[in-house]
Amino acid sequence: MVKVTFIVNGNRTLKKRNNELIQKALNHPSLDVTLVRTNYAKEALKLSQESCNQNTEIIIAVGGDGTINEVVNGILLANKSAIFGYLPNGTGNDFSRNFKSIQADAFIQALVSKKFTKIDTIKTTFDQEIKQCINIADVGLGGKVIEILERQRSIIGGKISYNIAIVRGFLAFKKPEIVLEMDGYKNKKRMLMVAICNGNFFAHGLTVNPFAQINDGYLHITTFEKVSLLDYIRELPKLKKGIKITHPEVNYYKTKKVTIAGDRLYGELDGEGFKATTIVFEIQEKSLSILDLENIE
């Protein structure tokens, strides 16, 4: 029997296909399944650590990017060999866009066979805290947008809310002076945003860096300097299609480690906001075992 735990974001209604898939797993003779629901913010982090310590072999995050981030951090903090998996059940579901859509039979087969592959994560250090990011982090506008979203959440939700928050962010956000340091390169200037990418997608499916690969052992950096709201609107089709932006104030880099410093900067990790003055991002190669749904025999 393979020991599996589904950690479900209790604040969201389960999508029909996810509910059906979980029921299949619960009824499978080769799977020992536990289903738990979160009752408050950040509980998924605690539950995933507890599951690891109970020798759970596979832990599935059922929720959005925030839930996925918490479960991943719990697994890595526990320092156990549990395999991570996910069922997208949020609004943006940006991490899941890095992979093919989930097929129920392949998912169950992967659970039974404990089939996994290895992917990278981003170790993020700030204010004496260490957190892991699985998809995309950013410093600047993205963090401000997350703060605006939190305030809007009780009034309006979904993709419309995100688009409104982006526009409000552009209008209200003052570009901070950022010191960017990597691979012997050091630069200090005002920037709208620096995106640190493991995966490709954020902000409900926008491709902020088309070169990023989730298992290539590198951080892929995109810097946005003097970029206006009008520039954003003009380049939006390319962001949606995953095409490189050819703009004099947009630059792409590849590195293993980057340090960003400034005066109390806004930041976000997989959609979770924070503020800090110095942030260090480092690639953690092949640090996470993830359920492999694409190479099932």
Side-chain angles (χ1 to χ4, degrees):
M1 299 281 279
V2 180
K3 195 172 182 180
V4 181
T5 297
F6 288 86
I7 298 177
V8 181
N9 183 339
N11 292 322
R12 292 190 174 274
T13 302
L14 264 180
K15 294 176 182 178
K16 182 181 177 182
R17 66 192 306 265
N18 287 339
N19 186 51
E20 290 174 349
L21 198 156
I22 291 171
Q23 291 304 314
K24 278 188 176 182
L26 284 165
N27 294 325
H28 199 284
S30 298
L31 301 176
D32 176 11
V33 176
T34 300
L35 176 65
V36 291
R37 295 177 181 271
T38 62
N39 295 302
Y40 53 85
K42 310 299 181 185
E43 189 181 9
L45 174 69
K46 176 186 173 184
L47 291 172
S48 61
Q49 284 182 281
E50 290 175 351
S51 295
C52 285
N53 292 330
Q54 293 163 3
N55 297 318
T56 299
E57 295 167 276
I58 303 173
I59 301 175
I60 308 296
V62 186
D65 293 304
T67 303
I68 286 172
N69 179 273
E70 288 183 44
V71 170
V72 167
N73 271 273
I75 292 171
L76 295 176
L77 279 170
N79 197 27
K80 301 286 186 177
S81 59
I83 299 167
F84 163 74
Y86 65 90
L87 290 177
N89 201 68
T91 304
N93 300 314
D94 285 311
F95 174 73
S96 67
R97 298 174 195 267
N98 293 290
F99 304 91
K100 295 177 183 177
S101 59
I102 292 174
Q103 304 300 316
D105 289 343
F107 189 89
I108 296 297
Q109 190 177 347
L111 292 179
V112 173
S113 63
K114 295 190 284 187
K115 183 80 172 179
F116 70 90
T117 187
K118 291 277 192 176
I119 63 171
D120 305 332
T121 60
I122 304 172
K123 179 184 176 184
T124 309
T125 307
F126 60 93
D127 292 347
Q128 298 182 332
E129 282 192 76
I130 296 176
K131 293 187 177 180
Q132 297 287 342
C133 173
I134 192 172
N135 187 36
I136 291 179
D138 75 70
V139 176
L141 177 64
K144 180 64 176 178
V145 168
I146 294 299
E147 183 186 75
I148 294 170
L149 270 173
E150 290 298 322
R151 295 201 301 266
Q152 289 180 175
R153 190 155 289 177
S154 61
I155 303 170
I156 186 171
K159 191 172 183 178
I160 292 175
S161 181
Y162 213 111
N163 290 334
I164 292 171
I166 290 173
V167 173
R168 289 180 64 193
F170 266 103
L171 296 176
F173 186 62
K174 182 180 178 182
K175 297 181 186 69
E177 193 169 63
I178 287 176
V179 178
L180 182 69
E181 190 170 359
M182 57 185 169
D183 297 334
Y185 167 88
K186 188 173 183 178
N187 198 358
K188 181 179 181 180
K189 60 173 61 178
R190 293 200 175 275
M191 295 188 188
L192 179 72
M193 187 174 75
V194 181
I196 302 92
C197 307
N198 189 34
N200 293 109
F201 305 95
F202 83 153
H204 289 250
L206 301 184
T207 306
V208 68
N209 192 306
F211 309 110
Q213 296 180 44
I214 211 153
N215 59 358
D216 69 348
Y218 284 94
L219 301 174
H220 292 264
I221 313 296
T222 309
T223 60
F224 300 85
E225 296 174 17
K226 294 177 183 178
V227 176
S228 67
L229 177 58
L230 183 57
D231 291 327
Y232 169 73
I233 293 169
R234 285 172 177 161
E235 300 293 346
L236 190 56
K238 289 184 179 179
L239 289 168
K240 288 181 176 179
K241 293 177 181 178
I243 299 172
K244 177 185 176 181
I245 296 171
T246 52
H247 186 289
E249 299 295 326
V250 178
N251 295 290
Y252 299 93
Y253 306 91
K254 185 172 77 169
T255 186
K256 298 277 189 178
K257 178 180 178 180
V258 60
T259 300
I260 298 173
D263 185 15
R264 203 62 180 160
L265 300 168
Y266 286 93
E268 63 100 357
L269 306 172
D270 296 331
E272 299 297 309
F274 68 93
K275 291 180 183 178
T277 54
T278 301
I279 313 125
V280 180
F281 301 95
E282 301 172 79
I283 197 70
Q284 303 288 285
E285 296 183 46
K286 307 292 189 294
S287 58
L288 183 69
S289 299
I290 184 170
L291 201 65
D292 188 351
L293 306 179
E294 300 184 6
N295 296 298
I296 298 296
E297 297 176 357

